[in-house]
Amino acid sequence: TTHLVWFRADLRLHDNLALAAACRDSGAKVIGLFIATPEQWQAHGVAPRQAWFIRQHLHALREALSRRGIPLYTAQVDDFDACIPCIASFCDEHRVDALFYNYQYELNERKRDVALEKHLDGFVTCQGFDDSVVLAPGSVLTGNREMYKVFTPFSRAWLKRLDEGLPECVHAPKVRQHAPCEAPALAAFDYPQEPADETLFPVGEEAALAQLRRFCQNGAGEYETQRDFPAVDGTSRVSPYLAIGVLSPRQCLHRLLAEQPRTLDGGPGAVWLNELIWREFYKHLMTFYPALCRYQPFIGWTKNVAWSDDEAHFTAWCEGRTGYPIVDAAMMQMNQTGWMHNRLRMITASFLVKDLLIDWRRGERYFMSQLLDGDFAANNGGWQWAASTGTDAAPYFRIFNPTTQGERFDAAGEFIRRWIPALSSVPDKALHDPWRWADKQGVTLDYPRPIVDHKQARVATLAAYEAARKS
Ligand code: FAD
């Protein structure tokens, strides 16, 4: 018998449920396949950096699998529709009996998988796995068997489910007969690719696991007090690996519990676990509310907000030239590295929507085009949170003040100075509103003046949201 593992967002050897299941029968021949879909990626706005990261990990996975006697084939077709005939003919050619894959919960991905299973019905047995979450969507529900719309009760129910049994990690496949095998050449991807900084995000499963271990040993205990300060290396930075499945959330959970044994009693580690639960919350929500994948807001009336179409404002935001240092430094960090600190994602998203009154979906798309860790559910959830259009989102009248946010979370301006050298000589206290200081001193800065006045923008935004709510 021949077993095919269709790799998608699960580019790893360890704790890969589909791969492990395909390898369980030691007599079966196991082969892997990855299909690049450039037009689909284009439509989904996948960042060239993430495409590059995927390709680097395919190289690594291909080597690791061939050492174990599993050839990984790659192919390229236009889009998800074209994956179906591609897999069908691949199954034919390789006489595949069973197909193993890990679920993806986004709408187009789910439609593709349903169509594929229908197409292969009667020829190839298909088995899907809930691999990219600790607990499967649909397994954490209210008493009325509905999806939670608020995070805190969801997280409580999630933890209770965990008490009933901790999902274990599965082993990497054993070396199979005829190992090592030849690794098939990697097909070209006709998609723009941009290398990411490997000193920040080294390529490979081993490197990702090492980063996770280091953080769980040294950072997870202090996460609660460190996580809000972008100048501090206080968060795990494992998001790029989770997004393309080089790490699994079960590995994160088990490593955390091993290093921080009091996590489940609310001890050190619990706050980091809470972030992993947010990740699951958004994935579950997206499964229950497919409209989220169609760029619909969760709160209906927010569709009526009269968004601004000021292109100069949008470009200034994208390029980090708003005149608000914390916003601009954050955008520089993302534009240059593909990663942005969570506190800054909240500040920059809030600024685009609540200070510039620009449609959150434009920001969501721009983030996706830059992020190495671009993940539809987390990104959409984060944007809808910041824009007050989502479930359990910030209320629309809560508007971050970008100047005081900077003062609170980058008091000495260490982060700002790192990304905006033109402000390096401005004193700490003046750094968050540098022109006020510069004008008093008679100094000219090589830095833009604020493109909007926060107080006025706040009033206009409140009025726009209130008008939308009443309409
Ligand atoms: P840590 O703080 O160490 O957290 C550990 C892991 O938990 C993260 O790697 C991530 O997988 C998950 N996580 C943490 N916070 C959140 C959250 N609020 N929602 C969902 N999952 C979370 N995260 C992405 O992975 N991809 C995105 O495209 C993305 N876009 C975002 C857009 C906005 C506007 C906002 C406000 C948040 C977004 N996030 C996104 C969530 C969060 O900012 C990042 O997951 C986090 O900054 C990644 O850094 P880390 O790995 O050091 O996180």
Side-chain angles (χ1 to χ4, degrees), residues 292 296-304 384 388-394:
L292 294 176
Q296 296 299 313
F298 196 86
I299 299 175
W301 64 259
T302 61
K303 268 187 221 159
N304 304 327
Q384 295 225 35
S388 308
T389 61
T391 174
D392 205 12

Side-chain angles (χ1 to χ4, degrees), residues 318-336:
C318 293
E319 293 177 356
R321 288 187 292 100
T322 67
Y324 284 90
I326 195 71
V327 173
D328 296 340
M331 296 304 283
M332 299 287 185
Q333 181 182 40
M334 180 172 69
N335 291 343
Q336 290 180 34

Side-chain angles (χ1 to χ4, degrees), residues 308 310-318 322 352 355-356 358 451-452:
S308 154
D310 189 322
E311 286 305 315
H313 277 178
F314 182 63
T315 308
W317 177 81
C318 293
T322 67
L352 182 78
D355 281 80
L356 303 182
I358 290 177
I451 56 171
V452 287

Side-chain angles (χ1 to χ4, degrees), residues 40-57:
Q40 198 76 45
W41 293 353
Q42 189 76 46
H44 291 177
V46 171
R49 278 191 187 105
Q50 195 176 57
W52 176 86
F53 208 49
I54 289 173
R55 196 172 170 86
Q56 300 310 305
H57 281 96

Side-chain angles (χ1 to χ4, degrees), residues 201 215 223 227 234-240 242-243 252 272-280 282 339-350 367-368 371-386:
F201 298 106
F215 173 77
Y223 179 77
R227 66 172 170 156
T235 70
S236 69
R237 291 180 183 250
V238 295
S239 51
L242 278 167
C252 294
W272 195 63
L273 176 60
N274 207 47
E275 298 306 315
L276 295 176
I277 307 177
W278 270 106
R279 179 180 175 277
E280 304 244 328
Y282 287 138
W339 186 86
M340 192 197 285
H341 189 279
N342 180 60
R343 167 60 48 186
L344 303 176
R345 296 189 204 211
M346 296 196 286
I347 295 173
T348 53
S350 171
F367 264 35
M368 209 62 184
L371 286 172
L372 193 59
D373 67 16
D375 170 87
F376 182 84
N379 196 37
N380 183 267
W383 275 95
Q384 295 225 35
W385 181 88

Side-chain angles (χ1 to χ4, degrees), residues 29-70:
K29 178 177 179 195
V30 180
I31 58 181
L33 175 65
F34 178 89
I35 308 177
T37 50
E39 281 182 22
Q40 198 76 45
W41 293 353
Q42 189 76 46
H44 291 177
V46 171
R49 278 191 187 105
Q50 195 176 57
W52 176 86
F53 208 49
I54 289 173
R55 196 172 170 86
Q56 300 310 305
H57 281 96
L58 279 172
H59 269 297
L61 184 63
R62 172 176 155 266
E63 295 300 320
L65 285 171
S66 74
R67 281 197 292 276
R68 286 171 151 85
I70 304 170

